[in-house]
Coordinates of all heavy atoms in Angstrom, one line a residue:
S1 N 18.5 -41.7 30.1 CA 17.0 -41.6 29.7 C 16.7 -40.4 28.9 O 17.6 -39.5 28.6 CB 16.2 -41.5 31.0 OG 16.4 -40.2 31.6
D2 N 15.6 -40.4 28.2 CA 15.2 -39.1 27.5 C 15.2 -37.9 28.2 O 15.6 -36.8 27.8 CB 13.8 -39.4 26.9 CG 13.8 -40.5 25.9 OD1 14.9 -40.8 25.4 OD2 12.7 -41.1 25.6
Y3 N 14.8 -38.0 29.5 CA 14.7 -36.7 30.3 C 16.1 -36.2 30.5 O 16.4 -34.9 30.5 CB 14.0 -37.1 31.7 CG 13.9 -35.9 32.6 CD1 13.0 -34.9 32.4 CD2 14.8 -35.7 33.7 CE1 12.8 -33.9 33.2 CE2 14.8 -34.6 34.5 CZ 13.7 -33.7 34.3 OH 13.6 -32.6 35.1
Q4 N 17.1 -37.1 30.8 CA 18.5 -36.5 31.1 C 19.1 -36.1 29.7 O 19.8 -35.1 29.7 CB 19.4 -37.7 31.5 CG 19.0 -38.0 33.0 CD 19.8 -39.3 33.4 OE1 20.2 -40.1 32.6 NE2 19.9 -39.4 34.7
Q5 N 18.7 -36.7 28.6 CA 19.3 -36.3 27.3 C 18.6 -34.8 27.0 O 19.4 -33.9 26.5 CB 18.9 -37.2 26.2 CG 19.5 -36.8 24.9 CD 19.4 -38.0 23.8 OE1 18.6 -38.9 24.0 NE2 19.9 -37.8 22.7
L6 N 17.3 -34.7 27.2 CA 16.8 -33.4 27.0 C 17.4 -32.2 27.9 O 17.7 -31.2 27.5 CB 15.2 -33.4 27.4 CG 14.5 -32.1 27.2 CD1 14.5 -31.7 25.8 CD2 13.0 -32.2 27.7
G7 N 17.7 -32.6 29.2 CA 18.4 -31.7 30.0 C 19.7 -31.3 29.6 O 20.2 -30.1 29.6
Y8 N 20.4 -32.3 29.0 CA 21.8 -32.0 28.5 C 21.7 -31.1 27.3 O 22.5 -30.1 27.2 CB 22.5 -33.5 28.1 CG 23.8 -33.1 27.4 CD1 25.0 -32.8 28.0 CD2 23.8 -33.3 26.0 CE1 26.1 -32.6 27.3 CE2 24.9 -33.1 25.3 CZ 26.1 -32.8 26.0 OH 27.2 -32.6 25.3
N9 N 20.7 -31.4 26.5 CA 20.6 -30.5 25.2 C 20.3 -29.1 25.6 O 20.7 -28.1 25.0 CB 19.5 -31.0 24.2 CG 20.0 -32.4 23.6 OD1 21.2 -32.7 23.5 ND2 19.0 -33.2 23.2
L10 N 19.5 -28.9 26.6 CA 19.0 -27.5 27.1 C 20.3 -26.8 27.7 O 20.5 -25.6 27.5 CB 17.9 -27.7 28.1 CG 16.5 -27.9 27.5 CD1 15.6 -28.2 28.6 CD2 16.1 -26.8 26.6
R11 N 21.0 -27.6 28.5 CA 22.3 -27.1 29.1 C 23.3 -26.6 28.0 O 24.0 -25.7 28.1 CB 22.8 -28.0 30.1 CG 22.1 -28.0 31.4 CD 22.8 -28.7 32.5 NE 23.2 -30.1 32.2 CZ 22.4 -31.2 32.2 NH1 21.2 -31.1 32.6 NH2 22.9 -32.3 31.8
S12 N 23.5 -27.5 27.0 CA 24.4 -27.2 26.0 C 23.9 -26.3 24.9 O 24.6 -26.0 23.9 CB 25.0 -28.5 25.4 OG 23.9 -29.3 24.8
N13 N 22.7 -25.8 25.0 CA 22.1 -24.8 24.2 C 22.0 -25.3 22.8 O 22.4 -24.5 21.8 CB 22.9 -23.5 24.2 CG 22.1 -22.3 23.8 OD1 20.9 -22.5 23.5 ND2 22.8 -21.2 23.4
L14 N 21.6 -26.5 22.5 CA 21.3 -27.0 21.2 C 20.0 -26.3 20.6 O 19.9 -26.2 19.5 CB 21.2 -28.5 21.2 CG 22.5 -29.2 21.4 CD1 22.2 -30.7 21.4 CD2 23.5 -28.9 20.4
F15 N 19.1 -26.0 21.5 CA 17.8 -25.4 21.1 C 18.0 -23.9 21.3 O 17.6 -23.3 22.2 CB 16.7 -26.1 22.0 CG 16.5 -27.5 22.0 CD1 16.7 -28.1 23.2 CD2 16.3 -28.1 20.8 CE1 16.6 -29.4 23.2 CE2 16.2 -29.5 20.9 CZ 16.4 -30.2 22.1
Q16 N 18.5 -23.3 20.2 CA 18.8 -21.9 20.3 C 17.7 -21.0 20.1 O 17.8 -19.8 20.4 CB 20.0 -21.5 19.4 CG 21.2 -22.4 19.8 CD 22.4 -22.1 18.7 OE1 22.2 -21.2 17.9 NE2 23.4 -22.9 18.8
G17 N 16.5 -21.4 19.6 CA 15.4 -20.5 19.4 C 15.6 -19.9 18.1 O 16.3 -20.2 17.2
G18 N 14.7 -18.9 17.8 CA 14.7 -18.2 16.5 C 15.8 -17.3 16.3 O 16.6 -17.0 17.2
P19 N 15.9 -16.8 15.0 CA 17.1 -15.9 14.7 C 16.9 -14.6 15.3 O 15.8 -14.1 15.7 CB 17.1 -15.7 13.3 CG 15.6 -16.0 13.0 CD 15.2 -17.0 13.8
L20 N 18.0 -14.0 15.8 CA 17.9 -12.6 16.5 C 17.6 -11.5 15.6 O 16.9 -10.5 16.0 CB 19.3 -12.4 17.2 CG 19.7 -13.3 18.3 CD1 21.1 -12.9 18.8 CD2 18.7 -13.3 19.4
K21 N 17.9 -11.7 14.3 CA 17.6 -10.6 13.3 C 16.6 -11.2 12.3 O 16.9 -12.3 11.7 CB 18.8 -10.1 12.6 CG 18.6 -9.1 11.7 CD 19.9 -8.6 11.0 CE 19.8 -7.4 10.1 NZ 21.0 -7.1 9.4
S22 N 15.5 -10.6 12.1 CA 14.5 -11.1 11.1 C 14.9 -10.6 9.8 O 15.5 -9.6 9.6 CB 13.0 -10.7 11.5 OG 13.0 -9.2 11.5
R23 N 14.4 -11.4 8.8 CA 14.7 -11.1 7.4 C 13.4 -10.9 6.7 O 12.4 -11.4 6.9 CB 15.5 -12.1 6.7 CG 16.9 -12.4 7.4 CD 17.7 -13.3 6.8 NE 18.0 -12.9 5.4 CZ 18.9 -13.4 4.6 NH1 19.5 -14.5 5.0 NH2 19.0 -13.0 3.4
S24 N 13.5 -10.0 5.7 CA 12.3 -9.7 4.9 C 12.7 -10.0 3.4 O 13.7 -9.6 2.9 CB 12.0 -8.2 5.1 OG 11.1 -7.7 4.1
L25 N 11.7 -10.5 2.7 CA 12.0 -10.7 1.2 C 12.0 -9.4 0.5 O 13.0 -9.3 -0.4 CB 10.7 -11.5 0.6 CG 10.8 -11.9 -0.9 CD1 12.0 -12.8 -1.1 CD2 9.5 -12.5 -1.3
M26 N 11.3 -8.4 0.8 CA 11.5 -7.1 0.1 C 12.8 -6.5 0.5 O 13.5 -6.1 -0.5 CB 10.4 -6.1 0.7 CG 10.4 -4.8 -0.1 SD 9.1 -3.8 0.5 CE 9.6 -2.2 -0.3
R27 N 13.2 -6.6 1.7 CA 14.6 -6.0 1.9 C 15.7 -6.9 1.2 O 16.8 -6.3 0.8 CB 14.9 -6.0 3.4 CG 14.0 -4.9 4.1 CD 14.5 -4.7 5.5 NE 13.6 -3.8 6.2 CZ 13.5 -2.5 6.1 NH1 14.3 -1.8 5.2 NH2 12.7 -1.7 6.8
D28 N 15.6 -8.1 1.2 CA 16.5 -9.0 0.5 C 16.5 -8.8 -1.1 O 17.5 -9.0 -1.8 CB 16.4 -10.5 0.8 CG 16.7 -10.8 2.3 OD1 17.4 -9.9 2.9 OD2 16.2 -11.8 2.7
S29 N 15.4 -8.5 -1.6 CA 15.1 -8.4 -3.1 C 15.6 -7.0 -3.6 O 16.1 -6.9 -4.9 CB 13.7 -8.7 -3.4 OG 13.4 -9.9 -3.0
Y30 N 15.4 -5.9 -2.9 CA 15.6 -4.6 -3.5 C 16.8 -3.9 -2.7 O 17.1 -4.2 -1.6 CB 14.3 -3.7 -3.3 CG 13.1 -4.4 -4.1 CD1 12.2 -5.0 -3.5 CD2 13.1 -4.1 -5.4 CE1 11.1 -5.4 -4.2 CE2 12.0 -4.7 -6.2 CZ 11.1 -5.3 -5.6 OH 10.0 -5.8 -6.2
T31 N 17.3 -2.9 -3.5 CA 18.4 -2.1 -2.9 C 17.8 -1.1 -1.9 O 16.6 -0.8 -2.0 CB 19.2 -1.4 -3.9 OG1 18.4 -0.7 -4.8 CG2 20.0 -2.5 -4.8
P32 N 18.5 -0.6 -0.9 CA 18.0 0.3 0.1 C 17.4 1.6 -0.6 O 16.4 2.1 0.0 CB 19.2 0.6 1.0 CG 20.1 -0.5 0.8 CD 19.9 -0.9 -0.6
D33 N 17.9 2.1 -1.7 CA 17.4 3.3 -2.2 C 15.9 3.1 -2.8 O 15.1 4.0 -2.7 CB 18.3 3.8 -3.3 CG 18.5 3.0 -4.5 OD1 18.6 1.8 -4.2 OD2 18.6 3.4 -5.6
I34 N 15.7 1.9 -3.3 CA 14.3 1.6 -3.8 C 13.3 1.6 -2.6 O 12.2 2.1 -2.7 CB 14.2 0.2 -4.5 CG1 15.2 0.3 -5.7 CG2 12.8 -0.1 -4.9 CD1 14.6 1.2 -6.9
I35 N 13.7 1.0 -1.5 CA 12.8 1.0 -0.3 C 12.6 2.4 0.3 O 11.5 2.7 0.6 CB 13.4 0.0 0.8 CG1 13.4 -1.4 0.2 CG2 12.6 0.1 2.1 CD1 14.2 -2.4 1.0
E36 N 13.6 3.2 0.2 CA 13.5 4.6 0.6 C 12.5 5.5 -0.2 O 11.8 6.2 0.3 CB 14.8 5.3 0.8 CG 15.6 4.6 2.0 CD 17.1 5.2 2.0 OE1 17.3 6.1 1.1 OE2 18.0 4.7 2.7
K37 N 12.6 5.1 -1.5 CA 11.8 6.0 -2.5 C 10.4 5.5 -2.5 O 9.5 6.3 -3.0 CB 12.4 5.9 -3.9 CG 13.7 6.6 -4.1 CD 14.2 6.3 -5.5 CE 15.6 6.7 -5.7 NZ 16.1 6.4 -7.0
A38 N 10.0 4.3 -2.0 CA 8.7 3.7 -2.1 C 7.7 4.7 -1.3 O 8.0 5.2 -0.2 CB 8.7 2.4 -1.4
I39 N 6.6 4.9 -2.0 CA 5.6 5.8 -1.4 C 4.5 4.9 -0.8 O 3.9 4.1 -1.6 CB 5.1 6.8 -2.4 CG1 6.1 7.7 -2.9 CG2 3.9 7.6 -1.8 CD1 5.8 8.6 -4.0
R40 N 4.2 5.0 0.5 CA 3.2 4.1 1.0 C 1.9 5.0 1.2 O 1.9 5.9 2.0 CB 3.6 3.6 2.3 CG 4.8 2.6 2.2 CD 5.3 2.1 3.5 NE 6.4 1.2 3.4 CZ 7.7 1.7 3.2 NH1 8.0 2.9 3.2 NH2 8.6 0.7 3.1
D41 N 0.9 4.7 0.4 CA -0.3 5.4 0.5 C -1.4 4.6 1.2 O -1.8 3.6 0.7 CB -0.8 5.9 -0.9 CG -2.0 6.7 -0.9 OD1 -2.4 7.2 0.2 OD2 -2.7 7.0 -1.9
P42 N -1.7 4.9 2.5 CA -2.7 4.1 3.2 C -4.0 4.1 2.6 O -4.9 3.1 2.8 CB -2.7 4.7 4.7 CG -2.1 6.0 4.4 CD -1.3 6.1 3.3
K43 N -4.4 5.1 1.8 CA -5.7 5.2 1.2 C -5.8 4.3 -0.2 O -6.9 3.9 -0.5 CB -6.1 6.5 0.8 CG -6.3 7.5 2.0 CD -6.7 8.9 1.6 CE -6.9 9.6 2.9 NZ -7.1 11.1 2.5
N44 N -4.7 4.0 -0.6 CA -4.7 3.2 -1.9 C -3.8 2.0 -1.7 O -2.6 2.0 -1.8 CB -4.2 4.1 -3.1 CG -4.4 3.3 -4.3 OD1 -4.9 2.1 -4.5 ND2 -3.8 3.8 -5.5
W45 N -4.4 0.9 -1.4 CA -3.6 -0.3 -1.0 C -3.8 -1.3 -2.1 O -4.9 -1.9 -2.2 CB -4.1 -0.9 0.3 CG -3.3 -1.9 0.8 CD1 -2.0 -1.9 1.4 CD2 -3.6 -3.4 0.9 NE1 -1.6 -3.2 1.8 CE2 -2.6 -4.1 1.4 CE3 -4.8 -4.1 0.4 CZ2 -2.7 -5.4 1.6 CZ3 -4.9 -5.4 0.6 CH2 -3.8 -6.1 1.2
H46 N -2.8 -1.5 -3.0 CA -2.9 -2.5 -4.1 C -4.2 -2.2 -5.0 O -4.8 -3.1 -5.3 CB -2.8 -3.9 -3.7 CG -1.5 -4.3 -3.1 ND1 -0.5 -4.4 -3.7 CD2 -1.3 -4.5 -1.8 CE1 0.6 -4.8 -2.9 NE2 0.1 -4.9 -1.7
G47 N -4.4 -0.9 -5.1 CA -5.5 -0.5 -6.1 C -6.8 -0.5 -5.3 O -7.8 -0.2 -6.0
R48 N -6.9 -0.9 -4.1 CA -8.2 -0.9 -3.4 C -8.1 0.1 -2.3 O -7.0 0.2 -1.7 CB -8.5 -2.3 -2.8 CG -8.7 -3.3 -3.8 CD -9.1 -4.6 -3.1 NE -9.1 -5.7 -4.0 CZ -8.4 -6.8 -3.8 NH1 -7.5 -6.9 -2.9 NH2 -8.6 -7.7 -4.7
T49 N -9.1 0.8 -2.0 CA -9.1 1.6 -0.8 C -9.4 0.8 0.5 O -10.0 -0.2 0.3 CB -10.2 2.8 -0.8 OG1 -11.4 2.2 -1.0 CG2 -9.9 3.6 -2.1
I50 N -8.9 1.3 1.6 CA -9.1 0.6 2.8 C -10.6 0.3 3.1 O -10.9 -0.8 3.6 CB -8.3 1.3 4.0 CG1 -6.8 1.4 3.7 CG2 -8.7 0.6 5.2 CD1 -6.2 0.0 3.7
S51 N -11.4 1.3 2.8 CA -12.8 1.3 3.1 C -13.5 0.0 2.2 O -14.2 -0.8 2.8 CB -13.6 2.5 2.8 OG -13.3 2.9 1.5
E52 N -13.0 -0.1 1.0 CA -13.5 -1.2 0.2 C -13.0 -2.5 0.8 O -13.8 -3.5 0.8 CB -13.0 -1.0 -1.3 CG -13.6 0.0 -2.0 CD -13.1 0.2 -3.4 OE1 -12.0 -0.4 -3.7 OE2 -13.4 1.1 -4.2
L53 N -11.8 -2.6 1.1 CA -11.2 -3.8 1.7 C -12.0 -4.2 3.0 O -12.3 -5.4 3.2 CB -9.7 -3.7 1.9 CG -9.0 -5.0 2.3 CD1 -9.1 -5.9 1.1 CD2 -7.6 -4.7 2.7
G54 N -12.2 -3.2 3.9 CA -12.9 -3.4 5.1 C -14.3 -3.9 4.8 O -14.9 -4.8 5.5
R55 N -15.1 -3.4 3.9 CA -16.4 -3.7 3.5 C -16.4 -5.2 3.0 O -17.2 -6.0 3.3 CB -17.0 -2.8 2.4 CG -17.6 -1.6 3.0 CD -18.4 -0.9 2.0 NE -17.9 0.5 2.0 CZ -17.3 1.1 0.9 NH1 -17.1 0.6 -0.1 NH2 -16.9 2.3 1.1
W56 N -15.4 -5.6 2.2 CA -15.2 -6.9 1.7 C -15.2 -7.9 2.8 O -15.8 -9.0 2.9 CB -14.1 -7.1 0.7 CG -14.0 -8.5 0.1 CD1 -14.6 -8.9 -0.9 CD2 -13.3 -9.6 0.6 NE1 -14.4 -10.2 -1.2 CE2 -13.5 -10.6 -0.2 CE3 -12.5 -9.8 1.8 CZ2 -13.1 -12.0 0.0 CZ3 -12.0 -11.0 2.0 CH2 -12.2 -12.0 1.1
Y57 N -14.2 -7.6 3.9 CA -14.1 -8.5 5.0 C -15.3 -8.5 5.9 O -15.6 -9.6 6.3 CB -13.0 -7.9 5.8 CG -11.5 -8.5 5.4 CD1 -10.7 -7.7 4.7 CD2 -11.2 -9.8 5.6 CE1 -9.4 -8.3 4.3 CE2 -10.0 -10.4 5.3 CZ -9.2 -9.6 4.5 OH -7.9 -10.1 4.1
E58 N -16.0 -7.5 5.9 CA -17.3 -7.5 6.7 C -18.3 -8.5 6.1 O -18.9 -9.3 6.8 CB -17.9 -6.1 6.6 CG -17.9 -5.4 8.0 CD -18.6 -4.0 7.9 OE1 -19.8 -3.9 7.7 OE2 -17.8 -3.0 8.0
K59 N -18.4 -8.3 4.8 CA -19.4 -9.2 4.0 C -18.9 -10.6 4.1 O -19.7 -11.6 4.3 CB -19.5 -8.9 2.6 CG -20.2 -7.5 2.5 CD -20.3 -7.1 1.0 CE -21.0 -5.8 0.8 NZ -20.9 -5.3 -0.5
H60 N -17.6 -10.9 4.0 CA -17.1 -12.3 4.0 C -17.3 -13.0 5.4 O -17.8 -14.0 5.5 CB -15.6 -12.1 3.7 CG -14.9 -13.5 3.8 ND1 -15.0 -14.5 2.9 CD2 -13.9 -14.1 4.7 CE1 -14.3 -15.6 3.2 NE2 -13.6 -15.2 4.3
F61 N -17.0 -12.2 6.4 CA -17.2 -12.9 7.8 C -18.7 -12.8 8.1 O -19.1 -13.8 8.8 CB -16.4 -12.0 8.9 CG -14.9 -12.3 8.8 CD1 -14.1 -11.3 8.5 CD2 -14.4 -13.5 9.2 CE1 -12.7 -11.5 8.3 CE2 -13.1 -13.9 9.0 CZ -12.2 -12.8 8.6
L62 N -19.5 -12.1 7.7 CA -20.9 -12.1 7.9 C -21.4 -13.4 7.2 O -22.3 -14.1 7.7 CB -21.6 -10.9 7.3 CG -23.2 -10.9 7.5 CD1 -23.6 -10.9 8.9 CD2 -23.8 -9.7 6.8
D63 N -20.9 -13.7 6.0 CA -21.3 -14.9 5.2 C -20.8 -16.1 6.0 O -21.6 -17.1 6.0 CB -20.7 -14.8 3.7 CG -21.1 -16.0 2.9 OD1 -22.3 -16.3 2.9 OD2 -20.2 -16.7 2.3
L64 N -19.6 -16.1 6.5 CA -19.1 -17.3 7.2 C -20.0 -17.5 8.5 O -20.3 -18.7 8.7 CB -17.6 -17.0 7.6 CG -16.6 -17.1 6.5 CD1 -15.2 -16.8 7.0 CD2 -16.6 -18.5 5.9
N65 N -20.3 -16.5 9.2 CA -21.0 -16.6 10.4 C -22.5 -17.1 10.1 O -23.0 -18.0 10.9 CB -21.2 -15.3 11.2 CG -19.8 -14.9 11.9 OD1 -19.0 -15.8 12.0 ND2 -19.7 -13.6 12.1
T66 N -23.0 -16.7 8.9 CA -24.4 -17.1 8.5 C -24.3 -18.6 8.2 O -25.1 -19.4 8.6 CB -24.8 -16.3 7.3 OG1 -24.8 -14.9 7.6 CG2 -26.3 -16.8 7.0
Q67 N -23.2 -19.0 7.5 CA -23.2 -20.4 7.1 C -23.0 -21.3 8.4 O -23.5 -22.4 8.5 CB -21.8 -20.6 6.2 CG -22.0 -20.2 4.8 CD -20.8 -20.3 4.0 OE1 -19.8 -20.9 4.5 NE2 -20.8 -19.9 2.8
K68 N -22.2 -20.8 9.3 CA -22.0 -21.6 10.6 C -23.2 -21.7 11.3 O -23.6 -22.7 11.9 CB -20.9 -20.9 11.5 CG -20.6 -21.7 12.7 CD -19.5 -20.9 13.4 CE -19.2 -21.6 14.7 NZ -18.2 -20.9 15.6
A69 N -24.0 -20.5 11.4 CA -25.3 -20.6 12.2 C -26.3 -21.5 11.5 O -27.0 -22.3 12.2 CB -25.9 -19.2 12.2
M70 N -26.3 -21.6 10.1 CA -27.3 -22.5 9.4 C -26.8 -24.0 9.6 O -27.6 -24.8 9.7 CB -27.2 -22.1 7.9 CG -27.8 -20.8 7.5 SD -29.5 -20.8 7.6 CE -30.0 -21.5 6.1
K71 N -25.5 -24.2 9.6 CA -25.1 -25.6 9.9 C -25.4 -26.0 11.3 O -25.8 -27.1 11.5 CB -23.6 -25.6 9.7 CG -23.0 -27.0 9.8 CD -21.4 -27.0 9.4 CE -20.9 -28.4 9.6 NZ -19.4 -28.4 9.4
D72 N -25.2 -25.2 12.3 CA -25.6 -25.4 13.7 C -27.1 -25.7 13.9 O -27.5 -26.6 14.6 CB -25.2 -24.3 14.5 CG -23.7 -24.2 14.8 OD1 -23.0 -25.2 14.3 OD2 -23.1 -23.2 15.3
K73 N -27.9 -24.9 13.2 CA -29.3 -25.0 13.3 C -30.0 -26.2 12.5 O -30.8 -27.0 13.0 CB -30.1 -23.7 12.7 CG -31.5 -23.7 13.1 CD -32.1 -22.3 12.8 CE -33.6 -22.3 13.0 NZ -34.1 -20.9 12.8
Y74 N -29.4 -26.5 11.3 CA -30.1 -27.4 10.4 C -29.2 -28.7 10.3 O -29.7 -29.7 9.7 CB -30.4 -26.9 9.1 CG -31.5 -25.8 9.2 CD1 -31.1 -24.5 8.9 CD2 -32.7 -26.0 9.5 CE1 -32.0 -23.4 9.0 CE2 -33.7 -25.1 9.5 CZ -33.3 -23.7 9.3 OH -34.3 -22.8 9.3
G75 N -27.9 -28.6 10.6 CA -27.0 -29.7 10.6 C -26.4 -29.9 9.3 O -25.9 -30.0 8.4

């Protein structure tokens, strides 16, 4: 039966789960010296400051909540 086959597969460890070591595209693409030299500036994230990004998300979610409330109220 399916139940016995599932039990057999679990006992023989066919469902091994995820990999034990995670991989990163950045680590696979660049040599270790490039990653070590990289300067991470939390105030400047891809040309935007965190406060600007936070304000954008605030406005975005406020807009989404307003749209949802209007849809609930007026259909």
